[in-house]
Amino acid sequence: MAGTVCIHDLYFRRLMDGDAIATRVRTLGEEVSRDYAGKRLLCLAILNGSFIFAADLLRVISMEVDICFIRLSSYSGADSTGKVTTIFGLTENIAQRHVLLIEDIIDTGKTLHELLPVLHEKQPASLQVATFLSKPGARRYPIEASYTGFTIPDQFVVGYGLDYNGLGRNLPDLYIRTTEEPQE
Ligand code: XMP
Ligand code: MG
């Protein structure tokens, strides 16, 4: 796979390859399997970005696991409380379940800052987060995941499920935004 790719109007350089990602995801899967040994886990994977990470993580988790794919939409509420997170596709009752939320990337932390209280209200037995990526330098809300694949600089990334305006999700490697054009 090329070292630099052009998507729409932007260039991205390869940050890590699919083999390094697979190795790290395997380790995360082993940690999850150890921590939840003997329990039945319910994974909630947030679409679209986490679909590849979720598929790979699930295949290296060894105990019983259910998966549910959810989609989020935020809108301004009619009252002064502001943003309300709506969850689409949550077909499982999460009360008394051990829930692992699977996210592609934690950037400012806003998405999870809004989503986690909504899920906690449904009274799961436990609620943890597994994220493929984290950008600590971009954080505006105090959100940390229990399982983080990689921490990365505060630059836009694509590949391994993440997109730039719809494209790049199918790239097996992870690419980060660069202003340098390829030398060819
Ligand atoms: P927050 O700021 O709420 O962001 O933590 C989480 C969501 O923003 C998207 N996001 C990205 N998507 N490359 C992407 O393809 C990125 O570098 C990036 N940074 C944030 C993503 O949808 C994530 O769930
Ligand atoms: Mg996302």
Side-chain angles (χ1 to χ4, degrees):
M1 197 62 63
T4 302
V5 295
C6 181
I7 299 177
H8 298 297
D9 54 332
L10 299 181
Y11 290 102
F12 296 84
R13 70 172 169 81
R14 189 167 47 215
L15 187 64
M16 61 188 79
D17 67 20
D19 288 343
I21 294 170
T23 300
R24 181 66 186 135
V25 172
R26 179 164 298 281
T27 302
L28 286 185
E30 287 165 1
E31 284 176 27
V32 171
S33 302
R34 190 188 59 221
D35 295 349
Y36 290 90
K39 296 181 175 132
R40 177 173 170 178
L41 184 63
L42 170 58
C43 288
L44 300 184
I46 304 176
L47 292 172
N48 291 325
S50 77
F51 78 111
I52 290 179
F53 176 49
D56 285 349
L57 186 65
L58 262 281
R59 283 178 290 179
V60 289
I61 285 177
S62 54
M63 71 288 171
E64 290 185 325
V65 60
D66 300 277
I67 184 145
C68 183
F69 289 91
I70 61 172
R71 189 181 286 277
L72 307 178
S73 114
S74 286
Y75 59 92
S76 293
D79 60 29
S80 58
T81 56
K83 298 282 187 191
V84 179
T85 301
T86 307
I87 308 171
F88 298 100
L90 183 56
T91 51
E92 299 275 344
N93 179 3
I94 70 169
Q96 309 311 321
R97 298 294 307 270
H98 292 287
V99 175
L100 182 65
L101 198 56
I102 302 182
E103 177 63 302
D104 53 355
I105 184 166
I106 304 177
D107 192 299
T108 65
K110 184 172 190 291
T111 302
L112 293 184
H113 176 76
E114 292 182 358
L115 175 61
L116 287 171
V118 176
L119 293 176
H120 272 299
E121 265 176 29
K122 300 179 189 294
Q123 303 195 313
S126 67
L127 177 59
Q128 305 288 348
V129 176
T131 186
F132 170 48
L133 300 172
S134 175
K135 290 181 185 171
R139 205 71 93 248
R140 286 196 283 122
Y141 300 85
I143 295 290
E144 287 310 324
S146 299
Y147 308 93
T148 299
F150 300 93
T151 59
I152 59 165
D154 184 11
Q155 296 291 336
F156 204 79
V157 288
V158 296
Y160 196 71
L162 293 104
D163 72 306
Y164 168 48
N165 281 352
L167 296 181
R169 295 191 196 277
N170 55 321
L171 294 168
D173 300 337
L174 186 74
Y175 292 80
I176 192 160
R177 187 162 175 209
T178 178
T179 49
E180 286 171 33
E181 296 189 17
Q183 313 276 310
E184 279 155 279

